[in-house]
Amino acid sequence: MKSLLKFTLFPLALFLAAGLTQADQHGDHGSHPVKVHSPFVRMMPPGQPNTAAFMTLENTGNTNLAVVAAESQVSKVVELHTHTMVEGVMQMREIEKIEIPAGQRTELKPGGLHIMLIGLHKPLSEEQVVEITLVYDDGSRQTIEAPVRHPGAEMMQSHGHGHHH
Ligand SMILES: [Cu+2]
């Protein structure tokens, strides 16, 4: 009886361990219903303590999702922001979430939605890759890699036919 129990538990334990490992290593990449296109962080002039990350989020799943937080090691604070007109002046403000309805794309771009990196620990260098973790309202997390680009490169980015993978 004892050996039979061992025999049945062992494959189960292996299965569980494999499942956990897979979630740890691959949960952030590829399998998430939200695909992240062309992420980049804006290169700022020297001495600027803040910058922002932009990207297009595509929800390939059947359920609405929203980014409710973002995390990064490069700055003290990471906030979700948008731009709004306040008495004729464009202002940034923090928002609670960035919604990505099922089957749709949400664009984070200069002058609109963005992920604000506040209080950079050290100046960013061009082509440096910044890791940003997106936290979704379903509890899932997705870590993306966003290269640092000059503002001039943004134009190339949005109007060109670049292949960035
Ligand atoms: Cu902002």
Side-chain angles (χ1 to χ4, degrees):
M1 192 60 206
K2 203 175 171 190
S3 64
L4 179 66
L5 191 68
K6 230 184 207 172
F7 182 75
T8 49
L9 280 179
F10 185 61
L12 178 67
L14 256 188
F15 174 76
L16 285 176
L20 285 175
T21 308
Q22 211 168 27
D24 277 351
Q25 292 182 344
H26 304 293
D28 289 344
H29 302 285
S31 60
H32 200 276
V34 173
K35 304 295 172 216
V36 179
H37 303 284
S38 310
F40 71 97
V41 170
R42 192 206 312 242
M43 180 79 187
M44 296 299 278
Q48 249 291 343
N50 308 329
T51 188
F54 307 96
M55 66 203 70
T56 299
L57 300 170
E58 180 185 14
N59 186 350
T60 63
N62 300 318
T63 36
N64 297 339
L65 285 171
V67 176
V68 292
E71 298 167 3
S72 181
Q73 299 297 318
V74 298
S75 65
K76 290 192 196 90
V77 178
V78 183
E79 291 180 354
L80 308 177
H81 274 198
T82 192
H83 281 92
T84 43
M85 278 294 214
V86 179
E87 291 166 6
V89 181
M90 198 67 130
Q91 288 187 354
M92 292 197 299
R93 66 181 177 90
E94 190 179 6
I95 50 175
E96 274 182 22
K97 56 185 174 179
I98 293 174
E99 291 177 340
I100 322 153
Q104 292 188 40
R105 285 171 179 243
T106 298
E107 236 187 302
L108 280 61
K109 58 184 179 186
L113 295 165
H114 55 280
I115 293 169
M116 197 79 196
L117 304 169
I118 301 166
L120 294 168
H121 295 304
K122 52 184 180 183
L124 299 176
S125 54
E126 208 172 349
E127 294 305 320
Q128 175 186 347
V129 172
V130 176
E131 274 197 6
I132 299 169
T133 300
L134 305 174
V135 183
Y136 293 89
D137 56 351
D138 66 350
S140 63
R141 300 164 66 86
Q142 182 183 36
T143 299
I144 58 150
E145 294 184 338
V148 176
R149 291 187 202 291
H150 263 291
E154 277 165 26
M155 300 287 285
M156 308 268 294
Q157 180 75 16
S158 50
H159 298 296
H161 306 273
H163 295 276
H164 301 280
H165 296 288

